[in-house]
Every structure is written in structure tokens, then in C-alpha cells.
């Protein structure tokens, strides 16, 4: 085979390669089909900054994970996040775990997502499902503090009411306004007549100890709360008769300022009450009785009644959940979420229900109790329902989130990058304009300076561009803004290789060598420079890839591919075309002889 | 510009080397001085924090974004402790704050939206936790050191065979590194000034640009050294100075052409490439310009300096 034949063969190879690259590059061109059924769509993958979307980095809190189990926990996190992310329906989501020193992170990329807030919420907020049982009733210090604070403010309120009463404000009006004993408050605080033993001791002592018509000069604390007491009357008689009179008094008072409607109803009910009392009145003994009014500011009992039971964690969590479904309660027809546990969960749930019969268990979602059903009997088979008072949407969302699974560990958002779709579109447009302008000036410059070789370089550059784009599509490499910068910069480098060759080539021509010899020698000499200089750039690229946040990686990868390809382009394409050209006049190369 | 075999002009670059040394030393010293005076204006990549870019789409298109002060106050009102607002164009502003959680980010957006007649659109948001910032900082430093070491090793290997020349092969490596440090220091110096007066930040993209400049600069220098290596074998020039000067002249057009073509595309990117990579491109343009200058006027003359120093 002659050298000429060899040249034509490599030329044909270049043409075939160019044609293949062109087919791959063609927009909406063919897809790759493997073994008849695996199809890979060929397209340029755009990065977040070009098509908009969100990139989220979460750091996992592995403090509760045993040493050596971290990788497994992270794999769990990745699986769960993948399932959650898939629910968003974005085209190419990415979930990647990585380790950086001591911290374990997950990178989630959601290209093209529009509702970033919802995404962040649904990804990051762990649907932490926990089943808790009633723990010991003792108050925690925190709870005790809360109670003390509440009671202190109640006492202050009572003191204020007392001060106002002592300063001469109308007691009945005050009682109506302030008293938390709603029954007596309606009657201006009037409790009617009572005898010894009917009231709690502290109240009684104070009431019986005071002169009629006076206000007890201090706030009296009882188990109900803080009382401001006014003694209206002290007498001896049958309680029922005394109270009958007092009731009439009260009615008379009310009638004065009440509306017609209230009058009518009050009248009716008190008539009934009076008759009943009269029937029993005869058997009664006369007793010493006191009639008093009070203003009550209630206090909180020092137990956990306001907090509900102290729920404690059990081993049953969302981890043992097999499946969650939306169902409808057969009686109320409200949506409920049904849960099916796995074998371990079923056993745990059975034990839990057996041990807590008659008590409540609490179902916590994200640290909030959403349902606290009472256990009626031991439940076998591992089924439970959550009646959280949901509407249908809430129930569906919960079931979906539960099905996606609970995260084995907590994750925190440590890095977030959102790009709106308009910004991305603008960036693409800008880059395309920049690329076109850059290319045009480059072509003009190369041809003006290098003449025919300039044209050859431009052709080589064109093929270089086609092949590079094809590689981007085939690999596939996600093209980001920094990637485009790398791509455009690599155009400069590709030109550089050609420039090196041409300068050497011209030098050889000037030294009087024949065209073919000049091409060969020029290449030989230039190759060392091209290789040495590009290797240093490649080293930099490799370190940049390692340095790699995604932005930098994109830049470095495209630049590295560009550098390698530019070497290939300069050596093969430019050399072949130059050699094969039928031109023999050196003026075509900008050299006068 | 035309050249032919008969009238190639040889510039006596080595003869004027004192001028070039003078310019370079001045620039390097100036860079160190501005560094001492102003320090680095580090971006959120390295300090941790958030950058929120919003666009105001008001119902009345003649009204753009509110004044920066107004926006700053609104952001502070939403519960953020610190905010720096930088208008980007008529309708777009960039708000720099400490690290924001997603809820806080939403709160800021809500407050801004409520204040205008129309919409406030989140164009981009970036939030970097303090640990990540710390990590990126140490990573950036490591990467820089690694690149420098890798290049020293590479240059030493590439030039190991010219041990017979007037200077030992390590002198090439050291000269290349000095030229390289020169490029980096001046580029950083210019960015410190830009940072002080125009708020340009030193971020991960800038480090990327620096590392790329390292690669390019050494690339240029290697081409010249390559030529010197070859010149030592076959040049008609008899003294080292002559060989260096000839080699610089032979490679100068190549260096200039390469830089010019690269600068052409970079300038296109700068003019049309949009906001987000602007200063990345600026850094590359500065670095490549300085790098080309140093490979011609600094790196090779340094070889002569070595020769003279080693002779003593």
C-alpha cells in the first residue's frame, strides 16, 4: 500500500467518523437500541443552571448509628430519598451519597423542578412515624415549670381581682367579668347559702371567719384555684328555704337588666327547681349557713392532666411499616390511613397492644401526635389505622410519604442551589450567542492569518465540534454553564494545536523543505510541544475533577475531553487534510519563495 | 502581518529583560500590598451563607426593583440578621445573607413579594452551610498546592534529559514555577482590587479559573522551553543567550496566536455569556494575558539568570 492510499483510507475514516457524529448530533435523531429492547435516548443533558431546578445537599446525622454501620444507613437514606424524589416526576433526578471526612452527605438534584418549596419539604422533612405508649405519670421538670408558671399567673390575676374588689368596684360585676366558675359568675359570683362541710376546708374557714358584707382580705387558695370571697350573709335556718329566697333575689336582680328572652327561660327553670326543693325541705334541720360570692381563678392541678400521658418511645417505628393505604372509616366515612407492618412490626404491635389494654397509645408523625387511640384488645396480624382527622388530600399525602419510607436517620439541608427556569433559558441563549460570535471571529482570524491552513484548521475545528457534541450526547455528559465555558475554552485549545503545527510548518517551509516534508517535520516537532503543554492542562483538569463541586467538575470534564479531542483533531484531521491537498504553491500558506 | 524567510525580525527580548523584571516585580509587590491592605473578599462558597437573586416583575413595567436600602430593610424585617443587597440590573437584585434555611428563604421571598405591586421571582438561590464553606476552603488550598506540585514534577520529568545544557534541568522547573506564581499573584491582586471596589468575590469559580490559568501558563512556558531544548541541540547560535532569544522569537507568534484565539472566545463569552460566569471569564482573561506575557518575558530570561547565578 502506498502512502497515498494510506492517506485516503484515513481520510475516509475521518469522513465516516464525521458522518456518524453528525447523525448523533442531529436534533431528535435516532436513539441507541441495545438488544432490541433497551433504548437510550440520545440528547444533550442540560445541567441545573441551564434548565432550572434545584440541587440540595443534605448532611446525615449519624450520631445514633453504630460505628461501621454508616454505609448501610446511608444506603438506606439513598433508597428512601430516591423513592421520594421519583414521586416528583422530574425527568433525570440524581441522588448520590458521598463521604467528606467525617460527614456523610446526600446530593439530590432535581432538574427542571418547578415547585422547589414542595420538593424541599417532602424530601427533607422526614416523615418520622413513631408509636409511643403511656409512660409513668411523673411530671418532668419542664412540665413542673410550666404548671408553676401557669399557677403563678393565676394567683396574680386573683390578687388583682381582690385589689379591685377592695377598692370598691362592684363585686358582682367583677365576678361576671373575671370569675372562671362560670355557673356562679352568671349570678354575679353568688354561691348561695351553704353549711359547714359543703365546701373545701380552706374556703369554708375563710367564709365562716369573715364578717357578713365584707370581702375576705386575701386570696384563698384551694384545690380548684384562687378565690376572692365576699361574705353576703351569715344566718341560721333550713338551707333549702334560705336558698329559695336567695334564688328569688337573684332572679329579681337578673330581671332588672336581662332581656325579655332570658327572663322567660330563667323564670321557667327556676320554678321547676323551686318546686323540687320544697318537697324535700320539711325533713331538713336548721343549720348555721353562710351565703357568699366568689371570684375563682382556676389553677392547674399538679399532675399530667393538661399534658396527657407522658408517651415514651417504643421499638415500633416507620421502619417496620410495610405498606400504608388510604381507606374510609365505615361509620364516619372520613379518610383514614391504614398501616400494615412487617413480621417484626406485627410482633411488636401485638406485644404493645397486649401490654397496654385499656390505655392509649400515641402515633407520632414528625414528633407531633396525630392520633391517640385507646387499645381495646390485643391486635394480631400487624394492622393499624391512623384516624388523624385528615381530609382526603392529607391522607393521600401521608400514605404516599409513609410508603416512600421513613428515613433511618435525620438529615439536614446544608447546601441548596435553586435556579429558576427563565435564568437557565437566558444562560443558554447567551452562551449560544457567545459561541457563535466567538467562532465567527475565530474563523476570520485563522483564515486571515494562516490562509489555506487556516481553512484546514477551521474544517478540523468543525469536525472537532461535531465529534465533541456527539461525545457529550453519547457519554452522556451533563452540560452546565461552566461546561459550556469549558467547551468554548477548549475551542481555543484546539486552535492552539493547529497554530503550533502551522507555525512549525511555516518554519520548515521557510527553511526550504518540500511541502510534504514540511508537513511531516512540522508535525513531528510540534507534537512534542502539543503533548507537553496539554499534559500539564490535563493534570490541572484531573485535580479540578477531584476538587469537584458539580460546577467545577462540569468545567473540568468538558475541558479535559476537549483537550484530548483537540490533540486527536490536530494530529489526524489537520495533518491528513494538509497532506492530501493538491496545492503546491507555498503562497497558499502565506509563504513567498 | 506577513513574514517570510528573509525578513524575520528578531526582537532582543533578553536585552530588555530588566524592564520586564521591573514591571513584573512592581505588579507582584503591588498585589501583595493590596492584599495586605484590603484582604480577600471571600464569597459564600468559603464563608458559608446564602445568595438569593430575585427579579421584580411589577405590574407597571416602568417601575423596577426598589432601592437597595429598602430591600435590605425588608430582608432584615423578615428575621434575617444580616443582608447585603447588590442591584444587578433594573429589575434584578442579588441579596447576600448568612446561611438561610429553606423556611427563612421562603420568609424573605414572602416579605419581598408583599412589598410590591406585582411579583418577585426567585431567579436563583444558593445556600452554603458553614461546614461546607470551611471544607471548600481547605479543598481549594489543597487543590492549588496539588496542582503546583504536580506541575513541578511534570516539568522536572519533561526536562530531565537536558542535563547537559548550560543550566540543570531543575532550573527549567523552578523558572516555570516562578512564572506561574507570578501569574497567580498578579491575577489574585487584580481580583483583590476588584473585590474591594466592586464587591467581586473570591469564590469556587475563581479558584477554578486560577487552576486553569496554572495549566495554561505552564503550557505556554513549556512550549518555549521545548523550543530552547531543541535549539540547544541544533541552533546555529553559540551562546545560551542567543539560543533563548531565538527560541522566544520563534515561539512568540505561536504564543500570541494561541492567546489571541483563546481571548477571542473568552471575550465573546464575556460580552454575551451572561452574568453568572462573568468574573470567571474576567479571571481567565487576566490570567491568560499575564501568563502569555510571563512565558515570553519572564520564564525564559530567568533561565539566563540561573545560568549566571550558577556560574559564580
Amino acid at each position: 500500500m502506498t502512502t497515498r492510499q494510506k492517506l485516503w483510507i484515513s481520510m475516509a475514516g475521518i469522513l465516516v467518523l464525521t458522518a456518524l457524529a453528525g447523525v448523533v448530533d442531529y436534533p431528535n435523531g435516532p436513539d441507541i437500541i441495545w438488544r432490541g429492547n433497551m433504548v437510550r435516548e440520545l440528547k444533550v443533558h442540560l445541567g441545573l443552571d441551564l434548565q432550572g431546578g434545584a440541587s440540595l445537599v443534605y448532611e446525615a446525622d449519624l450520631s445514633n448509628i453504630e460505628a461501621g454501620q454508616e454505609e448501610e444507613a446511608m444506603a438506606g437514606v439513598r433508597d428512601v430519598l430516591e423513592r421520594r424524589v421519583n414521586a416528583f416526576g422530574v425527568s433525570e433526578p440524581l441522588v448520590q451519597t458521598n463521604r467528606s471526612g467525617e460527614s456523610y452527605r446526600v446530593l439530590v438534584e432535581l432538574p427542571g423542578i418547578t415547585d422547589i418549596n414542595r420538593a424541599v419539604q417532602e424530601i427533607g422533612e422526614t416523615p418520622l412515624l413513631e408509636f409511643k405508649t403511656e409512660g409513668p405519670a411523673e411530671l418532668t421538670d419542664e412540665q413542673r415549670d410550666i404548671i408553676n408558671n401557669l399557677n403563678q399567673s393565676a394567683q396574680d390575676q386573683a390578687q388583682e381581682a381582690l385589689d379591685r374588689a377592695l377598692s370598691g368596684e362592684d363585686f358582682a360585676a367583677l365576678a361576671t367579668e373575671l370569675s372562671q366558675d362560670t355557673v356562679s359568675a352568671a349570678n354575679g359570683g353568688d354561691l348561695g347559702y351553704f353549711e359547714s362541710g359543703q365546701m373545701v376546708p380552706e374556703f369554708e374557714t375563710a367564709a365562716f371567719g369573715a364578717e357578713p358584707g365584707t370581702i375576705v382580705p386575701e386570696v384563698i387558695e384551694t384545690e380548684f384555684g384562687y378565690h376572692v370571697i365576699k361574705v353576703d350573709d351569715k344566718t341560721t335556718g333550713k338551707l333549702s328555704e334560705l336558698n329559695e329566697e336567695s334564688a328569688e333575689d337573684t332572679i329579681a336582680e337578673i330581671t332588672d337588666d336581662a332581656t325579655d328572652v332570658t327572663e322567660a327561660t330563667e323564670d321557667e327553670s327556676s320554678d321547676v327547681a323551686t318546686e323540687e326543693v320544697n318537697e324535700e325541705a320539711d325533713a331538713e334541720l336548721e343549720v348555721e349557713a353562710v351565703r357568699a360570692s366568689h371570684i375563682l381563678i382556676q389553677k392547674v392541678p399538679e399532675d399530667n392532666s393538661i399534658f396527657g400521658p407522658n408517651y415514651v418511645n417504643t421499638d415500633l417505628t416507620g421502619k417496620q411499616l410495610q405498606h400504608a393505604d388510604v381507606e374510609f372509616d365505615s361509620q364516619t366515612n372520613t379518610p383514614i390511613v391504614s398501616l400494615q407492618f412487617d413480621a417484626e412490626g406485627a410482633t411488636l404491635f401485638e406485644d404493645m397492644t397486649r401490654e397496654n389494654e385499656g390505655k392509649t397509645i400515641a402515633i407520632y408523625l414528625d414528633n407531633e401526635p396525630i392520633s391517640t387511640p385507646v387499645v381495646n384488645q390485643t391486635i394480631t396480624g400487624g394492622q393499624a389505622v391512623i384516624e388523624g382527622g385528615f381530609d382526603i388530600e392529607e391522607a393521600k399525602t401521608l400514605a404516599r410519604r409513609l410508603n416512600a419510607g421513613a428515613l433511618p436517620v435525620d438529615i439536614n439541608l446544608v447546601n441548596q442551589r435553586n435556579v429558576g427556569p427563565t435564568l437557565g433559558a437566558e444562560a443558554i441563549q447567551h452562551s449560544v450567542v457567545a459561541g457563535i460570535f466567538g467562532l465567527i471571529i475565530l474563523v476570520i482570524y485563522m483564515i486571515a492569518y494562516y490562509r489555506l491552513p487556516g481553512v484546514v484548521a477551521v474544517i478540523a475545528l468543525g469536525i472537532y465540534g461535531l465529534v465533541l457534541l456527539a461525545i457529550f450526547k453519547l457519554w452522556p455528559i451533563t452540560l452546565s454553564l461552566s461546561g459550556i465555558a469549558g467547551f468554548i475554552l477548549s475551542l481555543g485549545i484546539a486552535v492552539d494545536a493547529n497554530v503550533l503545527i502551522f507555525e512549525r510548518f511555516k518554519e520548515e517551509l521557510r527553511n526550504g523543505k518540500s511541502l510534504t516534508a514540511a508537513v511531516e517535520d512540522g508535525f513531528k516537532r510540534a507534537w512534542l510541544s502539543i503533548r507537553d503543554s496539554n499534559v500539564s492542562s490535563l493534570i490541572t483538569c484531573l485535580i479540578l475533577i477531584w476538587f469537584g463541586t458539580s460546577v467545577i467538575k462540569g468545567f473540568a470534564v468538558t475541558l479535559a475531553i476537549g483537550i484530548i479531542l483537540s490533540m486527536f483533531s490536530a494530529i489526524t484531521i489537520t495533518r491528513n487534510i494538509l497532506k492530501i491537498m493538491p496545492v503546491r504553491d507555498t503562497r497558499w500558506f502565506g509563504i513567498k519563495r | 502581518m506577513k513574514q517570510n524567510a528573509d525578513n524575520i525580525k528578531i526582537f532582543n527580548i533578553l536585552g530588555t529583560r530588566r524592564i520586564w523584571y521591573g514591571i513584573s516585580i512592581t505588579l507582584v509587590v503591588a498585589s501583595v500590598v493590596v492584599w495586605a491592605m484590603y484582604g480577600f473578599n471571600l464569597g459564600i462558597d468559603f464563608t458559608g451563607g446564602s445568595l438569593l437573586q430575585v427579579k421584580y416583575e411589577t405590574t407597571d413595567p416602568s417601575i423596577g426593583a426598589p432601592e437597595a436600602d429598602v430591600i435590605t430593610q425588608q430582608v432584615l424585617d423578615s428575621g434575617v440578621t444580616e443582608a447585603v443587597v447588590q442591584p444587578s440590573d433594573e429589575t434584578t437584585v442579588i441579596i447576600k445573607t448568612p446561611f438561610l434555611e429553606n423556611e427563612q428563604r421562603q420568609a424573605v421571598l414572602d416579605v419581598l413579594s408583599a412589598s410590591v405591586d406585582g411579583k418577585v421571582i426567585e431567579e436563583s438561590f444558593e445556600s452554603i452551610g458553614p461546614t461546607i464553606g470551611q471544607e471548600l476552603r481547605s479543598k481549594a488550598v489543597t487543590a492549588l498546592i496539588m496542582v503546583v506540585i504536580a506541575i513541578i514534577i511534570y516539568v522536572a520529568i519533561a526536562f530531565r534529559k537536558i542535563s547537559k545544557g548550560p543550566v540543570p534541568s531543575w532550573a527549567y522547573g523552578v523558572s516555570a514555577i516562578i512564572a506561574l506564581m507570578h501569574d497567580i499573584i498578579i491575577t489574585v491582586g487584580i481580583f483583590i482590587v476588584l473585590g474591594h471596589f466592586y464587591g467581586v468575590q473570591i469564590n469556587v469559580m475563581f479558584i477554578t479559573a486560577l487552576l486553569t490559568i496554572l495549566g495554561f501558563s505552564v503550557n505556554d512556558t513549556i512550549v518555549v522551553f521545548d523550543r530552547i531544548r531543541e535549539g540547544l541541540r541544533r541552533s546555529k547560535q553559540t551562546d545560551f543567550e542567543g539560543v533563548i532569544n531565538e527560541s522566544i522569537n520563534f515561539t512568540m507568534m505561536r504564543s500570541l496566536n494561541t492567546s489571541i484565539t483563546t481571548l477571542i472566545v473568552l471575550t465573546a463569552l464575556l460580552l454575551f455569556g451572561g452574568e453568572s460566569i462573568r468574573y470567571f471569564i474576567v479571571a481567565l482573561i487576566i490570567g491568560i494575558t499575564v501568563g502569555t506575557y510571563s512565558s515570553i518575558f519572564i520564564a525564559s530570561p530567568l533561565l539566563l539568570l540561573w545560568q549566571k547565578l550558577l556560574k559564580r
Side-chain angles (χ1 to χ4, degrees), chain A residues 302-338:
Chain A
E302 288 197 25
D303 57 30
N304 55 13
S305 56
I306 60 161
F307 303 107
N310 284 330
Y311 286 108
V312 292
N313 282 335
T314 63
D315 288 336
L316 189 62
T317 66
K319 251 190 264 180
Q320 290 95 359
L321 185 70
Q322 206 167 54
H323 197 70
D325 255 327
V326 177
E327 282 173 14
F328 290 90
D329 188 297
S330 53
Q331 273 136 41
T332 60
N333 213 30
T334 51
I336 53 177
V337 176
S338 71

Side-chain angles (χ1 to χ4, degrees), chain A residues 100 105 117 414-418 420 430 445 449-450 481 496 504 507 525 532-533 540 544 552, chain B residues 102 105-106 123-127 129 135 154 204 208 211 219 227 230 234 253-254 257-258 272 276:
Chain A
S100 169
R105 307 218 173 102
N117 278 326
V414 290
N415 181 195
Q416 182 179 8
R417 200 158 56 89
N418 306 340
H430 285 317
Y445 181 85
Y449 192 82
Y450 289 106
L481 199 52
D496 174 57
R504 270 307 169 87
E507 219 182 301
R525 300 265 169 79
D532 286 358
S533 62
T540 314
L544 280 175
I552 295 175
Chain B
N102 199 49
R105 161 184 149 267
Q106 194 52 49
E123 285 206 312
S124 71
F125 174 70
E126 177 149 25
S127 199
E135 212 174 281
Y154 178 70
V204 167
T208 310
L211 295 176
N219 174 323
R227 195 52 202 256
E230 197 189 314
R234 56 178 94 200
M253 272 333 285
R254 171 267 158 196
N257 273 334
T258 301
F272 308 106
S276 52

Side-chain angles (χ1 to χ4, degrees), chain B residues 11-305:
Chain B
F11 298 100
N12 189 1
I13 287 165
L14 285 182
T16 50
R17 62 179 181 274
R18 294 212 162 73
I19 301 173
W20 312 121
Y21 287 156
I23 293 175
S24 289
I25 290 171
T26 312
L27 286 174
V28 167
V29 170
S31 298
V32 174
V33 169
V34 291
W35 171 70
M37 277 165 64
Y38 304 141
F40 298 121
N41 181 11
L42 292 180
I44 59 161
D45 292 354
F46 298 129
T47 58
S50 296
L51 270 187
L52 176 63
Q53 182 177 336
V54 290
K55 191 185 184 78
Y56 283 82
E57 278 197 2
T58 41
T59 357
D60 178 357
S62 64
I63 303 171
E67 292 291 316
D69 295 350
V70 177
I71 300 176
T72 309
Q73 195 51 51
Q74 286 167 356
V75 174
L76 293 179
D77 288 346
S78 74
V80 177
T81 51
E82 233 181 291
V84 178
V85 174
Q86 212 172 30
S88 171
D89 60 37
E90 307 260 292
T91 54
T92 313
V93 292
I94 296 168
I95 303 164
K96 187 186 171 192
T97 62
F99 181 72
L100 296 185
E101 299 281 346
N102 199 49
E103 296 79 40
Q104 291 171 298
R105 161 184 149 267
Q106 194 52 49
V108 171
L109 285 173
D110 289 345
V111 168
L112 294 184
S113 291
S115 72
V116 290
D117 188 15
K119 284 187 293 185
V120 172
I121 295 169
E122 174 189 50
E123 285 206 312
S124 71
F125 174 70
E126 177 149 25
S127 199
I128 292 172
T131 47
I132 304 241
Q134 184 65 46
E135 212 174 281
L136 281 175
R137 207 168 355 173
S138 62
K139 237 179 167 182
V141 173
T142 320
L144 273 170
I145 294 171
M146 277 174 69
V147 168
V148 171
I149 291 175
I151 286 174
I152 292 177
I153 294 172
Y154 178 70
V155 173
I157 292 173
F159 290 92
R160 71 188 182 282
K161 280 180 188 150
I162 16 176
S163 48
K164 278 185 292 186
V167 292
S169 62
W170 58 258
Y172 292 87
V174 176
S175 304
I177 295 299
I178 292 174
L180 210 129
M181 299 310 285
H182 162 271
D183 303 342
I184 294 297
I185 291 172
I186 292 176
T187 310
V188 171
I190 293 173
F191 262 73
I192 289 172
V193 174
L194 285 177
H196 186 74
F197 292 103
Y198 300 100
V200 179
Q201 290 175 344
I202 298 210
N203 53 19
V204 167
M205 281 309 266
F206 178 73
I207 300 296
T208 310
L210 273 193
L211 295 176
T212 314
I213 293 164
L214 282 177
F216 268 69
S217 161
V218 80
N219 174 323
D220 260 1
T221 309
I222 286 174
V223 171
V224 183
F225 285 1
D226 236 16
R227 195 52 202 256
I228 294 172
R229 176 170 63 181
E230 197 189 314
L232 284 174
R233 283 203 304 270
R234 56 178 94 200
S235 174
K236 292 166 206 138
Q237 299 284 341
T238 46
D239 63 334
F240 194 38
E241 185 168 345
V243 172
I244 294 176
N245 210 37
E246 189 187 67
S247 304
I248 295 174
N249 272 280
F250 276 132
T251 49
M252 188 153 55
M253 272 333 285
R254 171 267 158 196
S255 287
L256 286 180
N257 273 334
T258 301
S259 301
I260 288 168
T261 48
T262 311
L263 287 176
I264 286 172
V265 282
L266 285 175
T267 310
L269 270 178
L270 178 68
L271 295 180
F272 308 106
E275 183 73 24
S276 52
I277 52 171
R278 177 170 298 162
Y279 287 104
F280 174 65
I281 304 294
V282 170
L284 284 177
I285 288 177
I286 296 171
I288 286 173
T289 311
V290 178
T292 308
Y293 159 81
S294 74
S295 70
I296 297 175
F297 296 102
I298 300 297
S300 310
L302 274 179
L303 288 177
L304 200 63
L305 191 67

Side-chain angles (χ1 to χ4, degrees), chain A residues 342-377:
Chain A
D342 61 12
E344 187 196 351
T347 319
L348 285 168
F349 193 57
E350 190 182 327
D351 294 347
M352 184 194 293
T353 46
R354 186 184 312 113
E355 286 157 17
N356 290 282
E357 225 167 284
K359 293 190 202 157
T360 58
I361 55 170
I363 303 172
Y364 276 66
L365 184 71
D366 297 334
N367 296 320
E368 292 289 332
I370 50 167
S371 175
T372 49
V374 177
V375 179
N376 295 321
Q377 71 221 27

